[in-house]
Amino acid sequence: MSKVGDYEAVKADIASLLHQPEYDDGSAGPVLVRLAWHSAGTYDHATDTGGSNGAGMRYEAEGGDPANAGLQHARVFLEPVKEKHPWVTYADLWTLAGVVAVKEMGGPQISWKGGRTDYVDDSKLPPRGRLPDAAQGADHIRWIFYRMGFSDQEIVALSGAHNLGRCHSDRSGFEGAWVNNPTRFSNTYFKLMLTRNWKEKTLANGIRQFVYYDEDAGEELMMLPTDLALLSDPSFRYWVEIYAKDREVFFADFARAFDKLMELGIQRDASGKVVNTDNIKGGYLS
Ligand code: HEM
């Protein structure tokens, strides 16, 4: 057991579990990034509900949401870290794991602060339906991300996380990776989006996605309908072109936007201490 508040010890243990030779492309990193994003992406600015406090996916109403299918793998990967550092809240562990995974996979350093609290029951969970639907277009993307308080630029920057990982037919119904090396954080996703000839394909399960065959990967790479909506919408496309050209600009903008995402629903005082613990019914873990 580490000293309470020793987040460096937690970070080191997260980093050391990323290598998972038996799992997907050999890394737990991508699914950890997705867990972090889905833990925060329920935020609704208008009602100040949802967000990265609470770790609501521990409860069936949120964890069993089809939009969160597959994220139990990420939670299971992190369980030994929670056992070793019982003082860390799940809400902190999940967000920190995303930040550590991005860095370890060659991405930018993202600033992160602890202090999130865990719900003690399932009475304050955000309703289902707040996460994006990949079969939709630009209007839907804006409706989802404006609700959280993001701009078009931030939406495109965050979408660059699809440099990582893959779609699984038994989770989302979509299938395949976006890039040839899906455990390396880069701006390849934007480059491929702009330069490849994406063809629509209907999978055996009836789901529609976009593909092209990549010789180097030896497999079909893919784009979701929402990914390609970033090309057809001029305001989104402006940022796709910038991020495809300039990796450093993408890394800096991604780091800022991901930090903002991880802070959704969290209010801090001047010293950085989380003050809005009152939304956690029945008190919170100290
Ligand atoms: C995977 C949709 C935004 C990070 C996926 C999958 C879908 C999806 C359908 C495949 C899940 C599976 O079958 O395992 C979307 C949509 C988005 C969006 C519709 C917005 C319009 C984001 C954002 C991030 C992110 C903002 C992070 C900043 C990831 C990662 C994976 C993933 C890392 C790979 C997970 C793995 O390999 O297991 N996303 N996503 N996505 N998404 Fe997104």
Side-chain angles (χ1 to χ4, degrees), residues 78-117:
L78 291 173
E79 205 46 40
V81 185
K82 172 69 177 171
E83 277 164 27
K84 195 166 161 195
H85 310 279
W87 55 267
V88 75
T89 60
Y90 281 104
D92 272 349
L93 180 59
W94 296 353
T95 50
L96 182 57
V99 165
V100 170
V102 167
K103 178 73 184 154
E104 292 292 317
M105 292 187 284
Q109 180 79 52
I110 301 163
S111 59
W112 179 90
K113 290 190 288 291
R116 289 166 196 77
T117 46

Side-chain angles (χ1 to χ4, degrees), residues 30-238:
V31 79
L32 292 179
V33 174
R34 189 164 198 242
L35 175 70
W37 131 241
H38 279 208
S39 80
T42 55
Y43 188 63
D44 174 37
H45 188 70
T47 55
D48 193 23
T49 56
S52 72
N53 247 342
M57 272 184 264
R58 289 169 300 132
Y59 300 101
E60 171 58 23
E62 191 175 341
D65 182 347
N68 288 326
L71 294 179
Q72 70 277 12
H73 294 279
R75 296 194 292 278
V76 168
F77 283 132
L78 291 173
E79 205 46 40
V81 185
K82 172 69 177 171
E83 277 164 27
K84 195 166 161 195
H85 310 279
W87 55 267
V88 75
T89 60
Y90 281 104
D92 272 349
L93 180 59
W94 296 353
T95 50
L96 182 57
V99 165
V100 170
V102 167
K103 178 73 184 154
E104 292 292 317
M105 292 187 284
Q109 180 79 52
I110 301 163
S111 59
W112 179 90
K113 290 190 288 291
R116 289 166 196 77
T117 46
D118 290 339
Y119 293 131
V120 294
D121 61 37
D122 64 357
S123 62
K124 293 280 164 146
L125 300 178
R128 291 184 179 187
R130 286 189 176 183
L131 292 164
D133 172 359
Q136 306 279 327
D139 289 352
H140 171 77
I141 300 173
R142 285 203 172 87
W143 177 67
I144 294 282
F145 283 88
Y146 284 9
R147 187 205 69 220
M148 292 182 242
F150 286 113
S151 66
D152 287 356
Q153 173 180 8
E154 289 168 323
I155 291 170
V156 178
L158 286 172
S159 301
H162 285 169
N163 272 285
L164 301 172
R166 55 176 61 247
C167 298
H168 306 78
S169 49
D170 59 339
R171 300 182 190 178
S172 61
F174 295 93
E175 184 58 47
W178 290 268
V179 304
N180 182 8
N181 184 353
T183 61
R184 189 85 197 146
F185 195 86
S186 75
N187 61 345
T188 305
Y189 161 82
F190 296 116
K191 290 183 182 167
L192 294 181
M193 186 186 285
L194 282 168
T195 57
R196 297 302 187 263
N197 184 15
W198 297 100
K199 292 244 179 350
E200 191 176 326
K201 177 177 179 178
T202 304
L203 305 179
N205 57 14
I207 285 183
R208 203 174 58 92
Q209 63 181 44
F210 294 86
V211 297
Y212 98 98
Y213 184 78
D214 183 89
E215 299 285 344
D216 297 328
E219 67 172 318
E220 263 179 9
L221 297 181
M222 63 88 63
M223 290 278 161
L224 298 165
T226 40
D227 294 312
L228 290 193
L230 304 180
L231 275 191
S232 49
D233 181 277
S235 163
F236 286 144
R237 187 182 177 117
Y238 175 82

